[in-house]
């Protein structure tokens, strides 16, 4: 972590321990237009996150959501985070397994995203233009000539307290089966999460805790390669922030913080998003994956 902060927090018992940021850092400013320079602030550890309200036109969101639900290639995920998805998850897989899946779904994903105003292209294109001024390249992660999936469409259908349990993304980038994959070099920098909301009913908010668990905590809880789930009781007393999410909103945050997603209040409503992960692997390269 390169931003300002409070340093390491140590609490008694089985509470999560780690790094917490100060008030200037642990903020999620909202803007009505896309400003890639603010994403760079998150990438460089200067701020926990940023929200771009209504960045994607409602008609684009509706079309992408409809294509996702109509796609014969949409799959169901019943483990880890119950959901429907189109795209590949790198979570707990070997490098080859993930890249095989990325290649298998690439054409179907391109078919869904092929429309004017594709928000994934707009987001990464704007970020690439901004960082090019600093001599930094933005590209999909790759390995032996093969590339990571460009994005992940997903809709969670979990219930209970959370649709997506408290977790963090940094631990997932240390999977032993991906030791040869360049995304593991992101752990020396900031692991950033991108979410583009396509549809959302009541509820479905993002919850972020002001804690990046330290290695000792992760190993004590047996989460050092998975990052999930952190029992809710272990987060008691840690500052947190709820973020309302509406169709068209694009939000980026430091995925090293423990975070979760609440279920929709209406069981019949759907929370569908287009997502990715990205970060620096060296001073001149930002890579993305899913």
């Amino acid at each position: 972590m390169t931003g300002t902060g409070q340093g390491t927090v140590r609490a008694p018992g089985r509470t999560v321990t780690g790094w917490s940021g100060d008030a200037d850092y642990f903020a999620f400013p909202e803007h009505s237009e896309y400003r890639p320079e603010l994403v760079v602030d998150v990438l460089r550890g200067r701020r926990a996150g940023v929200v771009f309200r209504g960045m994607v036109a409602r008609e684009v969101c509706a079309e992408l959501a409809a294509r996702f639900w109509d796609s014969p290639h949409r799959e169901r995920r019943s483990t880890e985070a119950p959901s429907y998805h189109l795209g590949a998850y790198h979570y707990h897989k070997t490098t080859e397994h993930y890249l095989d899946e990325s290649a298998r779904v690439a054409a179907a994903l391109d078919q869904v995203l092929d429309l004017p105003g594709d928000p994934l292209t707009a987001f990464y294109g704007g970020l690439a233009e901004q960082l090019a001024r600093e001599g930094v390249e933005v590209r999909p992660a790759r390995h032996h000539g093969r590339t990571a999936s460009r994005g992940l469409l997903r809709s969670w259908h979990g219930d209970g307290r959370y649709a997506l349990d408290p977790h963090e993304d940094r631990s997932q980038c240390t999977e032993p089966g991906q030791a040869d994959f360049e995304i593991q070099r992101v752990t020396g920098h900031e692991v950033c999460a991108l979410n583009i909301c396509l549809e959302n009913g009541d509820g479905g908010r993002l919850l972020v805790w002001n804690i990046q668990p330290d290695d000792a905590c992760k190993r004590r809880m047996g989460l050092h390669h998975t990052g999930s789930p952190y029992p809710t009781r272990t987060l008691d007393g840690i500052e947190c922030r709820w973020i309302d999410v509406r169709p068209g909103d694009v939000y980026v945050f430091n995925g090293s913080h423990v975070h979760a997603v609440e279920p929709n209040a209406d069981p019949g409503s759907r929370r569908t998003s287009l997502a990715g992960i990205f970060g620096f692997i060296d001073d001149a390269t930002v890579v993305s994956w899913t």
Side-chain angles (χ1 to χ4, degrees):
M1 169 53 63
T2 56
T4 59
Q6 299 166 356
T8 300
V9 174
R10 295 290 178 185
R14 300 187 63 82
T15 302
V16 173
T17 58
W19 185 91
S20 296
D22 62 18
D24 288 337
Y25 166 83
F26 194 62
F28 298 82
E30 299 184 7
H31 298 270
S32 59
E33 60 182 16
Y34 182 33
R35 294 177 56 187
E37 71 272 17
L38 301 180
V39 177
V40 176
D41 283 344
V42 183
L43 267 170
R44 295 200 180 278
R46 295 190 285 257
R47 194 178 298 276
V50 62
V51 182
F52 303 107
R53 296 290 186 194
M55 175 179 159
V56 185
R58 289 294 184 105
E59 58 269 22
V60 173
C61 292
E63 178 63 22
L64 285 173
R67 291 185 182 191
F68 167 68
W69 289 107
D70 290 344
S71 174
H73 302 283
R74 175 170 53 85
E75 300 179 69
R76 183 164 186 163
R77 190 186 197 201
S78 57
T79 58
E80 293 101 14
S83 60
Y84 291 97
H85 70 278
L86 177 60
Y89 284 93
H90 84 107
Y91 182 77
H92 221 39
K93 295 171 183 171
T94 65
T95 304
E96 291 301 316
H97 185 178
Y98 169 63
L99 293 175
D100 284 346
E101 286 194 354
S102 296
R104 177 172 58 83
V105 302
L109 190 61
D110 287 345
Q111 187 175 23
V112 170
L113 294 175
D114 183 20
L115 81 172
D118 161 25
L120 202 61
T121 298
F123 177 84
Y124 283 119
L127 181 61
E129 183 177 348
Q130 178 69 34
L131 282 172
R133 302 170 187 171
E134 304 176 29
V136 176
E137 177 188 16
V138 177
R139 60 168 173 79
R142 56 195 181 209
H143 179 73
H144 292 167
R146 308 176 72 194
T147 60
S149 184
R150 61 182 291 212
L152 177 69
L153 284 150
R154 61 191 179 186
S155 182
W156 295 301
H157 56 268
D159 52 19
R161 184 165 185 177
Y162 299 111
L164 185 60
D165 286 331
H167 68 286
E168 43 84 13
D169 301 331
R170 184 178 296 273
S171 294
Q172 301 171 19
C173 298
T174 67
E175 163 62 46
Q178 295 176 10
D180 58 345
F181 198 10
E182 65 179 356
I183 69 171
Q184 298 215 343
R185 292 158 58 192
V186 174
T187 59
H189 306 271
E190 309 302 334
V191 182
C192 296
L194 163 67
N195 284 271
I196 300 169
C197 180
L198 302 180
E199 56 181 352
N200 196 17
D202 293 334
R205 296 176 297 173
L206 173 70
L207 175 57
V208 184
W209 282 268
N210 189 7
I211 192 78
Q212 295 186 20
D214 55 33
D215 287 342
C217 170
K218 296 175 185 181
R219 292 187 177 278
R220 184 176 72 247
M221 295 184 175
L223 305 177
H224 50 291
H225 291 316
T226 63
S228 177
Y230 285 84
T232 302
R233 68 180 183 278
T234 67
L235 297 161
D236 288 346
I238 297 175
E239 179 187 15
C240 60
R241 183 73 57 89
W242 288 98
I243 298 174
D244 291 308
V245 179
R246 298 183 290 270
D249 292 347
V250 176
Y251 54 102
V252 175
F253 64 95
N254 193 319
S256 297
H257 285 270
V258 179
H259 54 283
V261 174
E262 72 171 352
N264 287 107
D266 180 358
S269 64
R270 300 188 297 208
R271 186 184 194 279
T272 304
S273 64
L274 175 58
I277 308 174
F278 61 101
F280 280 95
I281 57 171
D282 56 42
D283 291 343
T285 314
V286 168
V287 301
S288 64
W289 71 99
T290 53

